[in-house]
Amino acid sequence: MSPPRISSRAPARPTEPREPPRPARNEVKPQPQARTNRPGMSGVSQFESPASRQPLVALNSPTAAAQGSRVTPGSYPTAAQVRDIAAMQDPVARNYAITQGYSDLSNAMGQLLGTENANWSTFATWASKQAGVSIRGEDMPKFFTDALKQADNVMGPLSKVDDLLRKLGLPALPLGDIAAAGNQALQNVSQSIADGNKVVFEEVGQEFARFVETFQGDTQYDAAKVAQYLNGFPADKPVLKEAFGHYAQAMFEKDPNKKAELMLLANDKVGLHEQTRLQPYVEKALNAPVKETFRGILKQTIEAHINALPFPANLAGKAALKTGLVDAALNPVVDGAASVFRRLATEHMMKLAVPGEALKLGNDLPPPAGMESTIFPPHLRTIENPELRVLLDQLDKSPDSLKGTGAKDWSQLDQRMNYIVDLFRSRQSDPALFDPPFGQRGTYPVAPQAPRVS
């Protein structure tokens, strides 16, 4: 499938008549419920430098759904088009289409639920855009080569390898070979990121499209219709099913506090499903066989140089290979290079950039601009929804605080979710998240309607 076309102008966000503002909950009330253990949680969506941003605004307006809002055909990918995008073979083009698709699905959801609260697809837009940076290999090569030159635990051992190679009549090992090994390791990591990007979009993106297709035009909550819609979820995706049930409730909720909490509950549950689904891809990316990659390429270079020597000049080199002398010399170089690679991979790939700020996933979340003292938007400063409180009690290790949110080991699901639930809660009312990631909205082919039979 071709990537979605980008229109020359992004349509304006839906405007909605405002209700008289209700008092915002400006204080965090003590929660009487005792914290519980996290059953099943022990192992239980990334761009430039920060810029100034306007304070976040919580909008108190009725939902667009109450007016029977319809979404323009061709302004978002249908479920079938989501599958077509996921089937694209070029990982770079596919990621662009996925990122645009998430944004257009987010905008379509915003037309039904209003844009005073971001939905999961809104956040996924920016996570997918950051994933594209890694998929295109833009994170690491120069950083890695520069870091190698400054790493004593690489350059010192490398000089000893060069001494050995000279004694064997071989040229010194070029630093470029280590950089080449780093590029190969990066490609392995990028492949895992691309695979996860594809799998989640195909699975979750279809459900956002199906939600829009099902409920656009509705003016009131229809329990029977919602139940029939939810029956369309596979039995092995109960958390995802629950999440979209909450979106359906939020669509017709007029109380801004209750609506914000329903949206956060839905977002957190989609996030939990997504991150659980991504677990094998995250582990593969972060635990890629870096040392094996470095050793293989460096040893291959040395072997090629030995084999290029004429007999009997190559005998000493072959003996050094056979006895393990070459491996012993390479071990500290491999260890040092792998250590540098992992440090840079964590520093340069484990980040999330959203409009106006760049977040490092290993650091605690900073308060949003303009909310340094309050941390969370007005309608989420106190959590009253019982189900949401239970979920946050399971996932959030520092309730009502951003301290301790940094994920020291991104491969651990519980650490990722601890970060994500506070990311969602603290940024849910940021209208800039709805901005199109590439500056424009996409357009998608619209199937012609069947002729009416008279």
Side-chain angles (χ1 to χ4, degrees), residues 14-16 63-72 107-114 212 214-220 251-252:
T15 56
E16 302 163 351
T63 64
Q67 305 168 41
S69 176
R70 298 201 66 85
V71 182
T72 304
N107 190 58
M109 290 287 288
Q111 290 181 321
L112 298 187
L113 285 82
V212 175
T214 300
F215 294 109
Q216 60 176 318
D218 287 11
T219 58
Q220 61 184 1
M251 186 163 52
F252 300 100

Side-chain angles (χ1 to χ4, degrees), residues 35-50:
R35 293 184 58 73
T36 60
N37 293 329
R38 300 176 175 82
M41 291 298 297
S42 58
V44 161
S45 340
Q46 304 181 92
F47 291 168
E48 286 70 43
S49 48

Side-chain angles (χ1 to χ4, degrees), residues 304-359:
H305 288 160
I306 291 173
N307 292 331
L309 291 175
F311 178 85
N314 61 5
L315 291 179
K318 289 185 176 182
L321 283 172
K322 188 174 182 179
T323 61
L325 188 61
V326 170
D327 284 326
L330 283 177
N331 283 340
V333 177
V334 168
D335 290 344
S339 175
V340 171
F341 179 86
R342 289 194 186 281
R343 175 172 59 81
L344 290 179
T346 300
E347 180 178 350
H348 293 286
M349 299 175 75
M350 297 298 104
K351 60 187 177 183
L352 171 65
V354 294
E357 58 183 339
L359 305 171

